[in-house]
Amino acid sequence: DIQMTQSPSTLSASVGDRVTITCRASQSISNWLAWYQQKPGKAPNLLIYKASSLESGVPSRFSGSGSGTEFTLTISSLQPDDFATYYCQQYNSYPNTFGQGTKLEIK
Amino acid sequence: QITLKESGPTLVKPTQTLTLTCTFSGFSLSSSGVGVGWIRQPPGKALEWLALIYWDDDKRYSPSLKSRLTITKDTSKNQVVLIMTNMDPVDTATYYCAHKSSGFSAPYKNWGQGTLVTVSS
């Protein structure tokens, strides 16, 4: 299995901040990486696919980058609605593993 | 509009078999490249990928759970069924089904609302 490691596990930030979450794969996954946002009691919501492609309807303050084994999700200016948990997922090979999640909290 | 909805028992006893059904609309599981997967999330924990079935009946399983899982599809009913045997309290989780639109190179774009399954005697 490909292991996906996110950092940090928890991130405290304020509205308006620029934040970056990192996801590392245990082996190369090319750019077959997705980022999801999940709010309590809700299903995950796709934000970014193919490492850097913004899903339709997702605000442009979200961006993704990376390839191979290292990837980042950046939120350029945090909004109140962005406080949630974020997961990366590789879909280069099976099982399509997820990172352990990054909880973005209000400072 | 694509929608998916999970259904099944909310409570199962240890050692029992769990059968979950994903009923979907807005796409056909007979269309080339389309897949439906299952993902679970124990309370307060991370997402865990379980299984996936494609339009051509190609099936993929999590290696750690493969011996306990079976995924099938009924194209005429727009349903995908996941069977998990020998349930244990550690299998308590919200189980989601999700849609993949174009084979290997597609992420899981559309998700069901999830169904919480508790394993307890």
Side-chain angles (χ1 to χ4, degrees):
Chain A
D1 298 8
I2 296 176
Q3 308 303 316
M4 306 300 292
T5 304
Q6 288 182 235
S7 60
S9 296
T10 306
L11 180 57
S12 296
S14 302
V15 172
D17 284 353
R18 177 184 180 90
V19 298
T20 297
I21 299 168
T22 298
C23 179
R24 289 186 173 88
S26 60
Q27 63 190 76
S28 178
I29 58 169
S30 183
N31 59 354
W32 303 117
L33 183 101
W35 289 97
Y36 300 88
Q37 177 193 68
Q38 188 180 33
K39 295 183 178 179
K42 300 295 186 182
N45 180 49
L46 178 66
L47 300 175
I48 302 284
Y49 63 95
K50 210 173 177 183
S52 60
S53 296
L54 190 68
E55 174 64 7
S56 176
V58 174
S60 59
R61 63 181 180 272
F62 292 91
S63 64
S65 65
S67 67
T69 62
E70 187 150 341
F71 303 86
T72 59
L73 172 70
T74 299
I75 309 173
S76 60
S77 178
L78 273 175
Q79 299 302 302
D81 192 48
D82 300 339
F83 292 96
T85 299
Y86 294 83
Y87 292 93
C88 62
Q89 182 200 28
Q90 65 82 17
Y91 50 102
N92 178 75
S93 63
Y94 303 104
N96 293 159
T97 42
F98 291 89
Q100 82 278 17
T102 295
K103 186 175 183 180
L104 182 51
E105 299 180 329
I106 300 174
K107 184 184 284 185
Chain B
Q1 181 190 4
I2 289 174
T3 64
L4 304 97
K5 187 172 185 179
E6 306 86 353
S7 60
T10 58
L11 180 65
V12 298
K13 290 181 167 53
T15 75
Q16 286 188 335
T17 294
L18 171 69
T19 300
L20 293 174
T21 300
C22 176
T23 303
F24 55 85
S25 63
F27 66 93
S28 172
L29 201 38
S30 60
S31 298
S32 179
V34 173
V36 172
W38 286 93
I39 298 100
R40 72 178 179 179
Q41 185 173 39
K45 296 189 177 181
L47 300 162
E48 180 184 15
W49 185 89
L50 300 177
L52 170 67
I53 189 166
Y54 282 110
W55 87 103
D56 60 356
D57 212 37
D58 182 18
K59 301 171 185 177
R60 306 285 177 159
Y61 294 101
S62 169
S64 63
L65 292 167
K66 185 174 184 177
S67 64
R68 299 173 53 206
L69 293 176
T70 302
I71 190 169
T72 62
K73 63 181 176 67
D74 186 331
T75 305
S76 65
K77 292 183 178 179
N78 282 353
Q79 291 181 334
V80 171
V81 172
L82 182 74
I83 297 171
M84 181 179 289
T85 61
N86 194 24
M87 294 292 285
D88 184 271
V90 300
D91 297 314
T92 294
T94 295
Y95 287 76
Y96 297 99
C97 60
H99 164 248
K100 241 182 177 302
S101 62
S102 53
F104 154 81
S105 61
Y108 295 83
K109 178 175 179 177
N110 305 96
W111 294 60
Q113 65 190 22
T115 186
L116 176 61
V117 178
T118 301
V119 184
S120 175
S121 54

